[in-house]
Amino acid sequence: MKNLPLFKKKAPEEQHRTIKANDRANNALKQYALIPQISSLQPITTILPLVFVLALTAIKDASDDISRHRSDREVNKRPTNVLLDGKLVKEIWAKIKVGDMIKLSNNDFVTADLVLISTSEPNGLCFIETSELDGETNLKVRQSLEETCDLKDNIEELAKFDAEIEYEAPNNNLSRFEGNLKWQGNTYPLKNENILLRGCRLRNTQWAFGIVCYAGPDTKLMKNSGKAKFKQTKTDHLLNRIILGIFMFLLIMCAIMTICCGFWESFVGYYFRIYLPWENYIKDDQRVGALEKSLLVFLSYIIILNTVVPISLYVSIEFIRLLQSKFIDWDIQMYYEPNNVPAQARTTTLNEELGQIEYIFSDKTGTLTRNIMTFNKCSIRGKLYGYVTDDAGNETQDQEKTKPMKFEEAEEDFVWYDKKLPDAIKEGDEDVNEFFTVLALCHTVMPEVKDGKLIYQAQSPDENALVSAARTFGYTFKARTQSSITAKLLDKEETYELLSILDFDNDRKRMSVIVKKDGKIMLYCKGADSKIKERLDQSENEIMQETDEHLNKFANDGLRTLCLAYKELNEADFDAWNKKLNEANMEKREEKVHETYEEIEKDLKLLGATAIEDKLQDGVPDCISRLAKAGIKIWVLTGDKVETAYNIGLSCRLLTNDMDIKVIEDDSEKGVAEKLEQVRNEMIDKIEQLFNIKIEDRKKRLNWKDWGIDIMKFDQHRQDTNETSPNNKNETNPNNNNKNSPNNKNKNPNEGINNTGQQGQTTLNEGANTREEFDGFGLLITGQALVHGLNDKLKLKLLELATMCKAVVCCRVTPLQKAQVVELVIENEKKITLAIGDGANDVSMIQKAHIGVGISGEEGRQAVLASDYSFGQFRYLERLLLVHGRWSYLRISKFLRYFFYKNFAFTLCQFWFAFFSGFSAQSVYDPFFVATYNMFFSSLPVLALGIFDQIFAESVIHGILTSCVIFFVPYLSASNSTRPAGMTQADLQSFGFMIATIMVIIVNLQNALEMWYWTGMYHFVLWGTIVIHFLFHCALYSTLIWKIFKTNYFYVGVAQAVLTTGNFWFTLFLTCAILLLPVFAREFFRMRFMPTMTDKARLNRKYRVEEKQAFIEHIHKLKKQVKRPIRSGYAFAQQEGWGPLITSGRMMSRRQFPAKEITPSPSLSNIQSASNDSNLPSQLASRDEYDDKNLGTKTAATSSQLSKRGGSAKETDPLITKRSDV
């Protein structure tokens, strides 16, 4: 083997040469030609494309990394004030160290995790907003130690502060902090209430000082943020495997050529050496020489056939992805004008993945909702307000009656249409007066005067909405102290003595205040309707039934409700009760305090109910509905309570009244395991009952596909029976059927949401003879249950149930749990996932998912900086996935298919030519054509297909067949033909040019047949490419080149000679007919007899067939539908209220409010119809509409606006439905 040329040593570097004329034997001994030429092509034809590919890829990756580092630097270079050497100095965040003393000012983001030392507020209090941690924008209270709050902002004293702090190691628990502060010989315990976490924002506090305890990656926020990972698409992974397969195919072809060459040289070539001499380094022995020759030919064919391995493919894909990303950036329909936020593709490598999304994980606050609560409807002593009706009491669309009313003082988003409520106030209705008095007094809101205007700071946005609504109608809460509440009730200012606050918590679901005025003691209470109902006097049953009907109506509109009640107390009873309360407080027993509250909160008189709209972002319900129809499962992961998330799920159509909703909220591993098993059994029973299926193996993993059930078309699989038996009637009852949903009172997390009142029973009886509607399963699970549900023992059981559900809502979850839920689906389901959020608490799941989307909202830019795509509103996700994602995926798929097709067709002509050239590795093409084929003559139309077309395995076979036709048809045509002068047309140059020309035309026309949309740009690219081919070769093969470069080029004159013969044009048209006519026939047959969904969609778009059919089916469904009455719930704050802080005097109004500084409350005389005010903003007088140009439908922007259109809207425009209808 050592004599073979492949194994010879490398020759030393030459210093000089000495040769002998006409003595080949002597010169061969010097081995100047040690490495033989093994290719008929120049090395630059392979090296140049490779270098070009690698350079562009490196530049693109560097650009992406630089942009991300630039974003990181923006955060790291934020300035903050640090106390150093007795002075406050400016320092950037990146240089903050543990132990530094930091000064924060109002509205500053917290730099790092701080131990609070002192604040500008009394008793060391400060207010923070934690939207980037848990998504909540309501204010929370933090307090420094009493021993350090007296340091205030005394720089000298703070500089001398030399306390030692011992605390737990860095961890990701946001709700716990344990430590001790040692100072002046004493040790003081530190708790979570003494800590400010990074990601919070200081609000309504002039300044605050704190000691850094965790900085940089040790902060709890960063501990909850997963590490950024390199994201690759499925297409990339598939492409890598395909390239390896193609390389193996190349080796096989070269091996075939090697074997054939060995046989040919041994049996044929050996005897024709006089005409085709072997190289002088080849042995003269017949077998050894043939072996050496064939081994060299192997390397030659590696170079000749290397074009089958698409070196330029990666650059082409990156170019397509770059332009697709720019299309997203330039999409005007994804531009959010109010905040000047365009859509932005922050990465260029994941576009086609958008078209394969199967799971969406979404935050709630700031993502689905605007986190803006507005007072929308109310019921006062059985009278309904907020709906505009005609004289017959029916809802109306009369434009004169549905114009918004004008109020002198109202929130920006407050809109009210019903004149009956202001009229009742004008007429002095006592019930209405008492109703708004309760709203103005029963709360823990803190007032503040800013720029001469009264501003409310509430613990929850719901309370802010109610107090603001009371002010709009003339009942203005103005100030509070430890023992008093001041309010302006219409035109009279009143001060009430505050006797007690019975604060809210998650168990009580209500709050009460006890006030005294003119010797009269009143208890005012508000809370969840189920809690209030239990405490009403027996005489209130009738009015409660009427209110129940109103509550159900509010719930169907997706509104958040609560009830108001009151009770007059005599002084003796109050004094006795107050004594008990003081004793319970002294014992510090929470259970006893609550028992004392229960004693006085009974025999209440019902005032009515309020309905608050948690304003969704525009277009959210329609967006979620269409994504669900596309087969995408949507999971909501939020830090909110079950009730809040549940109501938003209803209003945004994620959950529906016809869903069988399961709730898991146990806080022990055993309890969670038992609950999972119980829910699983209930699902099996439900499926067997509804679909007439017998599940033999109940231990096998549940999967709808195993039973052939399409979750988007449950009705098609239902057993065709009337459920009229007593058993079926019982099962039809929502309370029996949905034991684990928020309808059930036992362990019900949302008792205020769902109770079947009289109206619900009427609906049930009316629908008893129709079958129960079933819209799938829904799952609500709390963060406490997820702690155990995500462990190794239970996570697969949890995943099994979750994947059986159409919607999953995870409540009270931490940022880390969000990432763990995403990871659970990725690792076990192997599906493409997308996570979307707007705050720092969403960063971990955004980084964990295959695709991360950030919304530029109110919670900072942390989510945007960590995301792959960003825009201003959730509704743009529909267009990102269903338009850009679909186009990108189809374009890339078509591009890859035709890239491989054209490369196989091009390269295999070289393979077929080998059988006619003695396997000599002679190229059938002009070397210039080989170097420019992929770059100029076939790439642009394929790129256009991958960029502009708006709509795989067969490509290799297609390419092989195409190469056979393109090679053998011209071969048979030219082999026995002659030119007019009598010369043969079978010379290598003419034959090669003929094949090259036919190749360019066929490949590009084949590409054109796959193009759905022939735009002007595509026509220019397609025909321009073909024309350039002719012009290029006519110029290259002309005598002009020979005259300029003085070289004898073998192809001079070939183009003119071939193009002037009729044989060429006949061969061209014959080849086109053979290759293209079958494609026409195949497409006609497929579209006529086996149309795809795309074909049907195009037909439906033209004739609207499916739209008409769907409307008819929708009407039939509504006629037989059994509605489940589901009650919307009122969401208080997420933690215990501010009652103890107010009554203890630690938190009270921080400023006195001179009457002249406060914007006057509205008087009733100023409440006018908007039609009389020419200055009213146009957006209040018109209804916003969400216009989807792709799908051609319009729906009303908000449920409140929809609810005013009434029954007549259904008659005139059946496509307009209420937000609660799904």
Side-chain angles (χ1 to χ4, degrees):
M1 297 292 290
K2 66 180 180 180
N3 294 324
L4 295 177
L6 294 179
F7 298 93
K8 293 180 180 179
K9 296 182 179 179
K10 183 179 178 181
E13 186 177 353
E14 294 184 68
Q15 301 296 327
H16 63 275
R17 278 193 174 190
T18 302
I19 61 173
K20 206 167 185 179
N22 298 320
D23 192 349
R24 294 185 65 180
N26 179 71
N27 294 334
L29 295 175
K30 300 182 182 296
Q31 296 184 343
Y32 289 135
L34 180 64
I35 302 178
Q37 182 177 352
I38 59 176
S39 173
S40 58
L41 299 177
Q42 295 297 323
I44 195 170
T45 60
T46 301
I47 295 175
L48 187 60
L50 180 61
V51 172
F52 182 71
V53 167
L54 296 177
L56 284 185
T57 303
I59 292 173
K60 194 274 299 180
D61 290 340
S63 175
D64 288 346
D65 291 341
I66 289 172
S67 62
R68 290 187 180 275
H69 283 295
R70 186 181 296 116
S71 299
D72 291 340
R73 285 198 299 270
E74 290 179 5
V75 176
N76 291 331
K77 289 188 176 182
R78 286 179 180 175
T80 191
N81 291 309
V82 183
L83 184 59
L84 295 176
D85 300 326
K87 296 180 180 179
L88 283 175
V89 297
K90 290 283 186 181
E91 195 65 272
I92 62 174
W93 281 25
K95 294 185 178 181
I96 298 301
K97 306 294 182 183
V98 173
D100 288 349
M101 177 82 75
I102 303 294
K103 179 185 178 181
L104 300 174
S105 300
N106 192 31
N107 295 325
D108 279 354
F109 282 101
V110 178
T111 310
D113 292 353
L114 308 177
V115 176
L116 193 59
I117 300 300
S118 63
T119 71
S120 59
E121 305 304 303
N123 304 304
L125 292 176
C126 73
F127 299 89
I128 60 172
E129 181 184 287
T130 60
S131 58
E132 287 202 10
L133 292 177
D134 53 22
E136 300 174 17
T137 56
N138 50 287
L139 299 183
K140 297 179 176 61
V141 176
R142 294 293 182 264
Q143 186 174 14
S144 66
L145 294 174
E146 295 181 4
E147 291 74 15
T148 63
C149 66
D150 292 334
L151 294 176
K152 293 294 182 180
D153 58 344
N154 189 322
I155 300 299
E156 293 183 2
E157 294 296 326
L158 290 170
K160 296 177 183 178
F161 186 70
D162 57 353
E164 182 178 312
I165 305 175
E166 295 179 353
Y167 52 94
E168 59 191 4
N171 60 79
N172 56 26
N173 193 329
L174 297 173
S175 60
R176 188 194 72 182
F177 182 87
E178 295 180 356
N180 294 303
L181 185 146
K182 299 180 180 179
W183 187 44
Q184 296 178 346
N186 297 315
T187 300
Y188 308 102
L190 295 173
K191 297 182 179 180
N192 203 52
E193 291 73 22
N194 310 124
I195 303 299
L196 301 183
L197 298 181
R198 178 180 175 178
C200 299
R201 198 169 189 175
L202 195 66
R203 294 290 196 188
N204 302 319
T205 306
Q206 188 177 353
W207 50 260
F209 283 89
I211 298 291
V212 177
C213 57
Y214 301 123
D218 291 338
T219 59
K220 291 181 179 288
L221 176 63
M222 296 304 295
K223 286 292 183 181
N224 275 276
S225 300
K227 294 182 179 179
K229 65 177 183 179
F230 177 70
K231 296 182 178 181
Q232 273 191 311
T233 66
K234 275 190 173 181
T235 304
D236 290 330
H237 293 294
L238 175 63
L239 190 57
N240 291 335
R241 293 195 296 270
I242 291 175
I243 296 299
L244 290 177
I246 291 176
F247 186 74
M248 294 301 298
F249 180 69
L250 171 63
L251 294 180
I252 292 173
M253 287 195 299
C254 293
I256 294 173
M257 294 294 97
T258 298
I259 295 171
C260 292
C261 179
F263 282 108
W264 192 91
E265 292 291 348
S266 178
F267 295 107
V268 179
Y270 179 76
Y271 301 104
F272 287 86
R273 286 185 296 165
I274 190 171
Y275 303 107
L276 296 172
W278 288 357
E279 288 77 3
N280 54 15
Y281 48 79
I282 301 296
K283 298 294 185 181
D284 291 333
D285 182 78
Q286 182 176 4
R287 292 185 177 181
V288 175
L291 177 61
E292 292 180 345
K293 186 77 172 177
S294 63
L295 291 176
L296 290 175
V297 163
F298 178 85
L299 299 178
S300 298
Y301 275 105
I302 286 286
I303 296 175
I304 291 292
L305 302 177
N306 79 87
T307 51
V308 76
V309 180
I311 298 176
S312 61
L313 174 62
Y314 289 98
V315 169
S316 301
I317 286 182
E318 293 301 334
F319 181 73
I320 290 174
R321 286 171 171 170
L322 176 63
L323 288 184
Q324 288 173 345
S325 299
K326 291 302 178 183
F327 290 158
I328 295 174
D329 295 344
W330 299 333
D331 192 344
I332 194 64
Q333 295 186 51
M334 296 174 65
Y335 171 66
Y336 188 53
E337 188 174 0
N339 291 350
N340 190 28
V341 178
Q344 182 180 10
R346 301 175 59 82
T347 181
T348 60
T349 60
L350 303 174
N351 297 326
E352 67 271 16
E353 205 88 322
L354 294 170
Q356 305 175 72
I357 298 299
E358 295 189 54
Y359 283 87
I360 293 176
F361 300 91
S362 175
D363 180 39
K364 182 192 75 71
T365 305
T367 303
L368 299 178
T369 69
R370 297 161 58 188
N371 207 37
I372 298 176
M373 311 293 179
T374 58
F375 183 80
N376 195 276
K377 308 278 191 303
C378 66
S379 171
I380 304 176
R381 296 297 292 177
K383 295 180 181 179
L384 187 61
Y385 298 99
Y387 293 98
V388 180
T389 59
D390 55 21
D391 296 336
N394 299 318
E395 292 182 43
T396 181
Q397 286 185 306
D398 188 347
Q399 294 184 356
E400 293 298 323
K401 294 184 178 182
T402 55
K403 290 184 178 180
M405 304 187 67
K406 181 186 175 183
F407 297 91
E408 185 174 310
E409 185 175 3
E411 296 293 319
E412 180 180 354
D413 294 285
F414 182 81
V415 181
W416 189 265
Y417 299 92
D418 187 7
K419 297 179 181 179
K420 296 192 299 293
L421 186 58
D423 291 344
I425 296 175
K426 288 181 182 179
E427 295 168 1
D429 189 303
E430 294 184 2
D431 293 332
V432 173
N433 179 72
E434 195 73 12
F435 180 88
F436 282 107
T437 300
V438 173
L439 293 184
L441 300 180
C442 185
H443 53 77
T444 57
V445 172
M446 298 299 297
E448 178 183 3
V449 173
K450 190 174 183 179
D451 299 329
K453 293 185 178 180
L454 184 62
I455 296 175
Y456 295 138
Q457 300 297 342
Q459 195 177 10
S460 74
D462 300 75
E463 283 209 324
N464 199 341
L466 292 174
V467 178
S468 298
R471 177 174 62 174
T472 299
F473 286 100
Y475 296 78
T476 305
F477 164 64
K478 295 184 63 176
R480 73 161 67 248
T481 66
Q482 178 182 356
S483 58
S484 69
I485 299 176
T486 301
K488 187 176 182 181
L489 308 180
L490 297 180
D491 294 326
K492 184 178 180 181
E493 186 169 304
E494 304 278 1
T495 299
Y496 290 79
E497 182 182 354
L498 179 61
L499 301 180
S500 183
I501 297 180
L502 286 61
D503 210 359
F504 165 87
D505 64 30
N506 286 322
D507 294 326
R508 285 170 40 78
K509 291 182 169 39
R510 65 190 183 279
M511 73 159 293
S512 302
V513 296
I514 301 177
V515 296
K516 185 176 183 180
K517 175 68 173 155
D518 299 331
K520 187 177 180 180
I521 300 178
M522 298 295 297
L523 181 145
Y524 294 131
C525 181
K526 68 180 181 183
D529 52 311
S530 60
K531 296 294 184 181
I532 299 297
K533 187 188 301 185
E534 295 170 356
R535 289 157 179 80
L536 293 179
D537 189 76
Q538 293 295 325
S539 61
E540 298 296 299
N541 289 341
E542 183 177 349
I543 197 68
M544 187 65 229
Q545 289 180 1
E546 296 179 11
T547 305
D548 242 345
E549 294 181 4
H550 297 163
L551 288 170
N552 286 327
K553 189 174 181 65
F554 297 156
N556 286 332
D557 290 340
L559 304 177
R560 302 150 66 98
T561 61
L562 83 160
C563 289
L564 306 182
Y566 71 99
K567 176 184 179 181
E568 185 174 352
L569 305 174
N570 62 60
E571 193 160 351
D573 290 340
F574 171 76
D575 290 339
W577 174 84
N578 194 40
K579 183 178 180 181
K580 282 187 178 181
L581 179 63
N582 291 333
E583 292 174 355
N585 286 327
M586 292 180 64
E587 295 180 15
K588 296 184 178 180
R589 289 181 55 189
E590 187 175 345
E591 298 84 0
K592 195 167 184 179
V593 171
H594 286 181
E595 290 176 3
T596 309
Y597 288 170
E598 294 280 350
E599 292 181 9
I600 200 168
E601 290 177 326
K602 61 183 181 181
D603 300 328
L604 302 177
K605 298 290 185 181
L606 181 66
L607 262 177
T610 63
I612 293 176
E613 180 184 8
D614 186 357
K615 283 189 174 294
L616 294 170
Q617 292 186 10
D618 294 337
V620 166
D622 293 328
C623 175
I624 288 180
S625 177
R626 288 170 186 150
L627 290 174
K629 288 180 181 179
I632 300 175
K633 293 187 176 181
I634 302 175
W635 293 18
V636 173
L637 312 177
T638 177
D640 283 338
K641 295 189 304 176
V642 174
E643 298 94 328
T644 308
Y646 179 79
N647 288 312
I648 292 299
L650 286 175
S651 60
C652 70
R653 301 182 192 170
L654 179 66
L655 303 175
T656 68
N657 291 351
D658 296 326
M659 276 187 180
D660 187 356
I661 299 174
K662 310 296 182 183
V663 180
I664 303 176
E665 55 175 350
D666 299 76
D667 55 3
S668 66
E669 182 176 347
K670 181 180 179 181
V672 172
E674 292 175 351
K675 190 67 173 180
L676 289 173
E677 187 63 27
Q678 176 189 342
V679 170
R680 189 177 189 275
N681 291 331
E682 291 173 355
M683 283 185 174
I684 293 175
D685 295 338
K686 188 77 170 181
I687 293 169
E688 290 181 336
Q689 169 204 336
L690 295 179
F691 299 98
N692 197 23
I693 293 174
K694 181 63 177 177
I695 301 177
E696 301 293 342
D697 186 2
R698 297 174 72 97
K699 294 184 179 179
K700 182 181 177 181
R701 175 169 178 174
L702 303 179
N703 191 331
W704 291 109
K705 294 181 179 179
D706 292 343
W707 312 305
I709 297 176
D710 184 353
I711 62 174
M712 304 306 299
K713 301 175 181 178
F714 281 124
D715 285 343
Q716 293 184 4
H717 306 280
R718 294 284 295 276
Q719 56 180 347
D720 190 16
T721 59
N722 291 326
E723 299 170 344
T724 56
S725 66
N727 293 337
N728 288 338
K729 288 182 181 180
N730 290 335
E731 289 169 353
T732 306
N733 189 321
N735 289 336
N736 294 336
N737 183 38
N738 204 10
K739 293 181 288 186
N740 298 302
S741 74
N743 291 354
N744 187 272
K745 291 185 179 182
N746 185 23
K747 295 187 71 175
N748 177 11
N750 198 15
E751 295 183 28
I753 297 176
N754 310 305
N755 283 316
T756 306
Q758 185 177 8
Q759 183 191 25
Q761 294 295 335
T762 302
T763 305
L764 176 63
N765 293 334
E766 290 175 354
N769 291 324
T770 61
R771 73 175 184 177
E772 174 192 356
E773 289 298 320
F774 177 72
D775 194 24
F777 297 107
L779 178 65
L780 276 72
I781 184 169
T782 62
Q784 290 179 332
L786 272 179
V787 170
H788 306 290
L790 292 174
N791 64 31
D792 293 336
K793 294 181 181 179
L794 301 178
K795 65 181 182 181
L796 293 181
K797 292 183 179 180
L798 173 63
L799 181 64
E800 176 190 20
L801 301 184
T803 52
M804 286 290 292
C805 298
K806 292 184 70 173
V808 177
V809 180
C810 301
C811 313
R812 307 299 287 157
V813 294
T814 65
L816 185 61
Q817 284 179 320
K818 292 183 179 183
Q820 290 173 340
V821 171
V822 176
E823 185 177 19
L824 178 65
V825 173
I826 291 176
E827 290 184 351
N828 296 281
E829 290 296 298
K830 308 300 181 184
K831 306 294 186 182
I832 305 299
T833 61
L834 178 146
I836 180 171
D838 70 322
N841 59 320
D842 304 315
V843 168
S844 56
M845 74 170 180
I846 285 175
Q847 293 177 336
K848 181 65 67 175
H850 293 97
I851 303 288
V853 178
I855 292 183
S856 299
E858 304 296 330
E859 301 183 20
R861 287 181 51 82
Q862 291 296 317
V864 172
L865 297 178
S867 67
D868 303 304
Y869 301 88
S870 65
F871 39 70
Q873 291 277 280
F874 180 88
R875 69 175 184 269
Y876 299 144
L877 183 63
E878 176 191 350
R879 184 167 177 81
L880 181 69
L881 300 187
L882 304 187
V883 178
H884 291 287
R886 177 176 178 272
W887 285 353
S888 297
Y889 179 63
L890 292 179
R891 289 165 176 173
I892 285 291
S893 299
K894 286 187 176 183
F895 166 79
L896 291 177
R897 174 185 171 185
Y898 277 89
F899 199 97
F900 291 129
Y901 158 75
K902 72 182 184 64
N903 276 20
F904 271 82
F906 171 79
T907 304
L908 287 177
C909 287
Q910 302 267 33
F911 182 80
W912 306 129
F913 182 67
F915 291 92
F916 299 90
S917 63
F919 308 99
S920 60
Q922 172 65 46
S923 174
V924 70
Y925 301 118
D926 175 9
F928 278 102
F929 180 73
V930 173
T932 56
Y933 171 75
N934 276 323
M935 186 173 298
F936 297 118
F937 304 134
S938 63
S939 61
L940 291 181
V942 179
L943 286 175
L945 176 69
I947 294 172
F948 300 112
D949 193 21
Q950 299 183 12
I951 297 295
F952 187 59
E954 63 182 18
S955 58
V956 173
I957 298 176
H958 192 189
I960 293 174
L961 294 177
T962 300
S963 69
C964 289
V965 174
I966 291 178
F967 180 83
F968 286 106
V969 171
Y971 174 78
L972 295 174
S973 174
S975 58
N976 296 315
S977 64
T978 59
R979 296 189 179 94
M983 297 179 62
T984 181
Q985 287 186 337
D987 61 281
L988 175 62
Q989 289 77 16
S990 298
F991 181 62
F993 175 70
M994 181 183 294
I995 290 179
T997 302
I998 295 175
M999 176 74 66
V1000 170
I1001 294 174
I1002 289 292
V1003 166
N1004 286 298
L1005 290 180
Q1006 186 75 42
N1007 177 282
L1009 291 179
E1010 290 295 325
M1011 194 77 175
W1012 280 95
Y1013 294 88
W1014 283 32
T1015 61
M1017 175 64 73
Y1018 184 74
H1019 276 286
F1020 174 78
V1021 169
L1022 174 65
W1023 306 116
T1025 298
I1026 295 175
V1027 170
I1028 287 175
H1029 168 79
F1030 285 101
L1031 295 178
F1032 175 80
H1033 284 90
C1034 287
L1036 181 65
Y1037 296 167
S1038 67
T1039 57
L1040 181 64
I1041 299 298
W1042 177 78
K1043 291 179 180 179
I1044 295 175
F1045 295 98
K1046 303 297 182 182
T1047 182
N1048 185 20
Y1049 190 48
F1050 295 116
Y1051 285 81
V1052 172
V1054 169
Q1056 182 180 0
V1058 172
L1059 296 177
T1060 56
T1061 62
N1063 178 269
F1064 165 77
W1065 295 105
F1066 172 77
T1067 304
L1068 173 62
F1069 287 116
L1070 178 62
T1071 309
C1072 289
I1074 293 173
L1075 290 174
L1076 299 181
L1077 284 180
V1079 177
F1080 276 109
R1082 182 196 65 182
E1083 286 300 300
F1084 173 80
F1085 181 83
R1086 182 189 58 77
M1087 295 180 68
R1088 180 66 179 85
F1089 300 104
M1090 296 183 295
T1092 63
M1093 293 297 294
T1094 302
D1095 298 325
K1096 294 178 181 179
R1098 296 177 73 196
L1099 181 66
N1100 184 54
R1101 183 177 181 181
K1102 185 175 182 180
Y1103 299 107
R1104 301 180 68 187
V1105 176
E1106 291 183 2
E1107 182 179 329
K1108 296 173 183 176
Q1109 181 64 27
F1111 170 66
I1112 295 173
E1113 293 178 358
H1114 177 67
I1115 295 299
H1116 287 308
K1117 183 178 179 180
L1118 289 179
K1119 288 181 179 179
K1120 64 181 181 180
Q1121 189 170 7
V1122 178
K1123 289 289 185 181
R1124 294 181 182 175
I1126 295 184
R1127 181 67 48 75
S1128 180
Y1130 176 75
F1132 286 87
Q1134 303 293 342
Q1135 65 285 322
E1136 293 186 4
W1138 291 350
L1141 294 173
I1142 294 173
T1143 54
S1144 65
R1146 288 183 290 165
M1147 184 169 76
M1148 49 190 145
S1149 300
R1150 297 185 294 282
R1151 297 169 178 80
Q1152 296 299 322
F1153 311 117
K1156 64 180 181 180
E1157 293 184 1
I1158 303 177
T1159 302
S1161 302
S1163 61
L1164 294 178
S1165 60
N1166 292 324
I1167 300 177
Q1168 302 172 354
S1169 172
S1171 59
N1172 299 326
D1173 183 13
S1174 59
N1175 297 322
L1176 182 67
S1178 59
Q1179 64 267 26
L1180 295 181
S1182 64
R1183 295 179 178 88
D1184 295 331
E1185 290 182 335
Y1186 173 65
D1187 184 2
D1188 189 321
K1189 295 183 179 178
N1190 294 304
L1191 300 177
T1193 60
K1194 292 184 179 180
T1195 56
T1198 62
S1199 61
S1200 61
Q1201 294 165 337
L1202 284 168
S1203 63
K1204 298 175 180 58
R1205 303 191 177 189
S1208 59
K1210 295 181 180 178
E1211 298 172 3
T1212 56
D1213 190 353
L1215 297 180
I1216 299 179
T1217 59
K1218 289 187 179 180
R1219 176 168 285 167
S1220 59
D1221 293 335
V1222 178

